Amino acid sequence: MHDSNLPGRRGFLKASVLGALTPWLPAEATGATTKRDDVATFPKAPLAPQPFQFLPAGSIRPSGWLKRQLDIQAAGLGGRVDETWPDLGPRSGWLGGDGESWERGPYFVDGLLPLAWQLDSPELKAKAQRFIDWTLENPWSNGMFGPKSNDDWWPRMVMLKVLTQYQELTGDARVVPFMTRYFHYQLGALPARPLRDWGRMRWQDEVASIVWLHARTQDPKLLELAALLKKQGYDWQGMFATFPFHDKTDAKMVEAKRKNAFMEDDGLQVHGVNIAQALKASAVWSLVSRDADDRAAVTHQLAQLDQYHGQPNGMFSADEHLAGRSPSQGVELCAVVEAMYSLETALAITGDAALGDRIERIAYNALPAAFTDDMWAHQYDQQPNQVECSLHKRPWTTNGPEANLFGLDPHFGCCTANFHQGWPKLTASLWMASADGGLAATLYAPCRVSTTVRGVAIDIEQETDYPFRDDIAMTMRPASPVAFPLRLRVPAWCRSPSVRVNGETIAAVAGQGFLTVDRQWKKGDRIELSFPADVVTEKGFNDSISFHRGALVFSLPIGEAWVKWRKRGLTDDWQVYPTTPWNYAVAPEGTMERHAVGTRPFAGATPAVTLTVHGRLVAWKAEEGAADPVPAKVIADGDPVTTLRLVPYAGAKLRITSFPRLPHDALQSAT
């Protein structure tokens, strides 16, 4: 949720009426070129060098289970929300209409655009193109762009991200001069009309687009603008250096901001989505500052969030503001997808393999958990210990009673517009170029890569059911033999990694980050990776335990009774009530079983992996639909030990993820 008291906010959020689709004109009809590069463009001096860089948008196509997941998104809200939600319909201000004219149009296209090209969908490309063509064809006379009903800097920051991807996908010649003109205008306008509110907190997103353009034009004015944005923006690195937010920042604390030296801007610096976006700030700025401390700061920032607000799904709690470590607190879907994008960006700039581990834990747990299996409904807030999704009051910091319902726009519509970027940007981050002319496998999922390395076109087919399985196979298909270094991320949780090239073992060491294989690659060369994972327990809030295997987190699924609350056009809003007990303490050992990876990869009804543990019912209750904080000490109710079947976190829409630990004597006495 964003602050409803901002000036002009009501005007930004006016709903519009859904109408017929406007005609689509392809880029060719505008006179723009359609030639695109297939080589990554790294920052140019005086910017600092970086070890990795995203491949040009469209270089990576999903396959296997990831392709099925993107197809589900396209067939659900991800591809059709504009047909049922007026805020993204034909009257959108970002289509020239009189409807919603703030962030929702840019948010939507930021994920729709890469999804459309990754799936090569003419229908989705047409939807995205309407927003892009209107934006490019209707600049203001002074260089500003976007709907004239507002001049807020923030929504333009999102649309700039869209335009950078679009230019890489199409080579559209309109984009670079359009962005240049806007940045020159903004450089002159910012002294009199400085950043405020959301733009002040999210300045780093625009600096990333400035760096992208500077790599293509070397315009020195761009670096002047970057410095001005940094100066006017919030000092995230300074906040984390003396991180004062150790506890749940409830509504009373936010309201008392004027009495608290640490609280500014209505608590925007403890707002979960702002913090998720801020995780890229220090790394992005390090390209300008060339400061090693800036580049490394994200590690400290994650450690602070983990220590005081960490959750087993890889995220930090923030419902709406930082909420402590109790697994009954939630996190906003916007924060999930923004944290993923921030860490993907930071991974490219720092080359830190540990960020890949974090991205995968978030992407393969927190991201799919926030949706129904068909992606036609989503939650605003998800909880690791989520025993009911209803209109009851929750222990949120500032959110309202709809926040964990599944639906079209529960509580607030920002996530409805913004969730689309999660899976497509993960896909775009699976492989990166390396600064020494090679490639890096940074994240793992099934895909096909098409790019050029050292002047030679190459396709790489990556076959895997990771994270549900341990093995990954890559087949290299260069147009002609070519020598280059290939970097393979070795997950930190893997104690016995195995790497083979054409059957020959390559020495791999646990914890080494990236393994480099530098050789001449020929068509048909095959790389086989195996990352065996142990079932481990992690200690959490009140000495609770959660179960993990590799990138997957496991949860106890609670029986679900879905109750339709209201009809919402093509979709519905749902409450979900428990039908089975959930108040178990468990022993810390588990036994894993593998099953087929289903058509819907994360569906709880067909889990690809399950974990069997033993537990007993204990005194642990819920109030107003939320589980009480995990009890540090438990008393068994006298019931016998029972066998519990845990499933991957995302498959259990009602779940317990953090359990009280069952004392050994309680387990023995009941067997």
Side-chain angles (χ1 to χ4, degrees):
M1 186 185 74
H2 301 315
D3 192 331
S4 59
N5 294 319
L6 292 178
R9 177 64 171 155
R10 293 184 182 276
F12 292 150
L13 302 179
K14 278 187 176 180
S16 58
V17 178
L18 185 64
L21 294 177
T22 57
W24 168 60
L25 290 176
E28 290 88 337
T30 68
T33 64
T34 55
K35 185 181 184 300
R36 59 178 296 272
D37 290 333
D38 56 3
V39 179
T41 303
F42 282 80
K44 303 292 194 301
L47 296 177
Q50 63 185 60
F52 300 146
Q53 179 61 295
F54 296 111
L55 295 172
S59 300
I60 304 172
R61 296 284 181 90
S63 59
W65 72 256
L66 181 59
K67 169 65 160 54
R68 298 198 299 275
Q69 188 64 51
L70 290 180
D71 284 337
I72 291 168
Q73 178 167 327
L77 284 176
R80 300 190 62 191
V81 64
D82 59 313
E83 299 171 30
T84 197
W85 199 42
D87 281 6
L88 294 173
R91 291 180 61 181
S92 165
W94 289 91
L95 293 173
D98 59 358
E100 201 278 339
S101 299
W102 196 44
E103 65 183 6
R104 295 185 181 180
Y107 265 162
F108 176 47
V109 189
D110 192 31
L112 176 67
L113 181 78
L115 177 69
W117 262 262
Q118 287 166 9
L119 296 180
D120 195 21
S121 166
E123 295 80 13
L124 298 186
K125 289 180 182 179
K127 289 188 177 189
Q129 193 76 44
R130 293 181 300 130
F131 287 89
I132 291 162
D133 282 341
W134 182 87
T135 298
L136 292 174
E137 293 168 4
N138 292 278
W140 300 16
S141 60
N142 60 4
M144 187 69 160
F145 71 90
K148 293 188 176 180
S149 57
N150 79 79
D151 63 359
D152 190 353
W153 300 118
W154 157 239
R156 278 86 187 168
M157 295 180 184
V158 185
M159 187 54 80
L160 290 166
K161 291 193 298 176
V162 173
L163 294 177
T164 62
Q165 296 173 84
Y166 174 69
Q167 195 280 335
E168 291 183 359
L169 288 165
T170 67
D172 193 318
R174 296 174 294 175
V175 172
V176 167
F178 181 92
M179 291 177 62
T180 299
R181 187 167 181 259
Y182 171 72
F183 286 142
H184 284 194
Y185 159 74
Q186 190 180 33
L187 179 62
L190 274 174
R193 192 164 66 82
L195 297 178
R196 62 176 178 86
D197 307 321
W198 306 106
R200 179 171 178 258
M201 294 291 166
R202 301 171 178 182
W203 58 270
Q204 62 277 347
D205 281 48
E206 182 169 344
V207 173
S209 295
I210 289 171
V211 168
W212 180 92
L213 186 61
H214 184 271
R216 288 153 177 81
T217 68
Q218 287 80 65
D219 180 352
K221 288 187 176 295
L222 297 177
L223 302 188
E224 292 181 39
L225 176 59
L228 184 55
L229 290 167
K230 171 68 164 61
K231 181 179 179 180
Q232 292 187 359
Y234 184 69
D235 181 11
W236 288 109
Q237 197 162 327
M239 184 194 86
F240 276 106
T242 57
F243 189 68
F245 304 110
H246 296 180
D247 302 300
K248 179 178 177 178
T249 53
D250 62 18
K252 290 182 179 179
M253 182 178 177
V254 175
E255 290 166 4
K257 59 187 180 299
R258 298 177 196 267
K259 300 178 183 178
N260 187 326
F262 296 116
M263 299 292 286
E264 303 175 6
D265 299 311
D266 298 320
L268 293 185
Q269 77 274 51
V270 287
H271 181 272
V273 181
N274 286 340
I275 289 173
Q277 292 181 257
L279 289 172
K280 73 172 79 65
S282 297
V284 168
W285 182 247
S286 75
L287 296 173
V288 182
S289 71
R290 304 180 70 91
D291 189 318
D293 289 341
D294 292 343
R295 178 166 291 194
V298 64
T299 300
H300 169 74
Q301 293 163 7
L302 286 170
Q304 293 290 291
L305 291 170
D306 285 345
Q307 181 175 354
Y308 299 110
H309 306 282
Q311 299 285 286
N313 57 15
M315 286 297 298
F316 51 89
S317 68
D319 51 25
E320 187 87 1
H321 300 83
L322 291 175
R325 296 189 68 201
S326 171
S328 291
Q329 300 296 154
V331 67
E332 185 180 338
L333 177 53
C334 273
V336 171
V337 297
E338 292 291 359
M340 288 174 56
Y341 175 60
S342 286
L343 296 177
E344 289 154 7
T345 301
L347 173 56
I349 295 171
T350 66
D352 185 353
L355 298 180
D357 296 347
R358 177 68 65 119
I359 293 164
E360 289 182 351
R361 181 175 287 199
I362 296 171
Y364 298 148
N365 298 284
L367 176 61
F371 299 94
T372 53
D373 294 338
D374 61 4
M375 292 190 75
W376 266 107
H378 75 279
Q379 292 180 294
Y380 189 77
D381 277 339
Q382 63 174 284
Q383 301 156 283
N385 284 0
Q386 184 166 278
V387 301
E388 184 175 302
C389 300
S390 69
L391 291 166
H392 285 139
K393 184 180 179 182
R394 287 297 189 288
W396 310 134
T397 55
T398 45
N399 282 339
E402 294 183 29
N404 80 340
L405 301 189
F406 284 89
L408 173 63
D409 55 358
H411 186 64
F412 200 78
C414 55
C415 294
T416 310
N418 193 24
F419 79 74
H420 308 80
Q421 67 172 306
W423 286 119
K425 289 189 179 179
L426 177 82
T427 303
S429 305
L430 295 174
W431 286 75
M432 297 183 186
S434 59
D436 56 5
L439 292 173
T442 46
L443 306 168
Y444 294 111
C447 65
R448 184 182 295 271
V449 186
S450 297
T451 188
T452 296
V453 180
R454 297 187 175 179
V456 177
I458 185 171
D459 287 341
I460 304 173
E461 184 176 2
Q462 182 164 295
E463 300 171 281
T464 184
D465 278 330
Y466 182 100
F468 311 107
R469 300 290 186 269
D470 302 334
D471 300 330
I472 303 160
M474 304 169 179
T475 303
M476 313 290 280
R477 297 190 179 96
S480 60
V482 57
F484 65 86
L486 176 66
R487 287 175 174 79
L488 305 166
R489 190 185 115 253
V490 179
W493 45 257
C494 181
R495 297 193 297 177
S496 54
S498 169
V499 178
R500 296 167 66 87
V501 177
N502 296 334
E504 179 183 347
T505 298
I506 305 295
V509 180
Q512 71 184 105
F514 282 94
L515 166 67
T516 301
V517 182
D518 195 345
R519 55 170 285 159
Q520 184 181 72
W521 300 98
K522 304 183 298 297
K523 187 174 182 180
D525 282 347
R526 187 171 176 85
I527 304 162
E528 295 171 299
L529 311 178
S530 182
F531 298 133
D534 298 324
V535 176
V536 299
T537 56
E538 291 186 2
K539 190 174 179 180
F541 178 76
N542 276 1
D543 292 330
S544 62
I545 58 173
S546 57
F547 293 88
H548 306 254
R549 185 184 183 278
L552 293 177
V553 181
F554 288 83
S555 301
L556 173 68
I558 303 169
E560 301 166 5
W562 289 71
V563 178
K564 187 184 297 185
W565 180 38
R566 58 185 176 184
K567 183 71 177 172
R568 301 300 305 277
L570 295 177
T571 187
D572 303 294
D573 291 343
W574 298 89
Q575 299 185 70
V576 192
Y577 291 91
T579 63
T580 57
W582 53 264
N583 51 319
Y584 291 95
V586 298
E589 297 83 20
T591 304
M592 185 199 70
E593 292 184 12
R594 293 185 175 92
H595 314 277
V597 181
T599 303
R600 293 176 174 175
F602 293 92
T606 55
V609 190
T610 56
L611 194 63
T612 299
V613 300
H614 293 101
R616 290 183 69 181
L617 289 169
V618 297
W620 182 17
K621 63 183 180 64
E623 185 174 352
E624 289 285 350
D628 284 348
V630 182
K633 295 183 179 180
V634 296
I635 301 173
D637 284 346
D639 293 272
V641 171
T642 187
T643 298
L644 303 173
R645 181 174 179 259
L646 309 188
V647 302
Y649 175 94
K653 306 311 178 186
L654 297 184
R655 59 184 166 261
I656 293 294
T657 308
S658 293
F659 299 85
R661 183 176 183 136
L662 186 65
H664 183 72
D665 57 351
L667 180 64
Q668 293 299 110
S669 66
T671 54

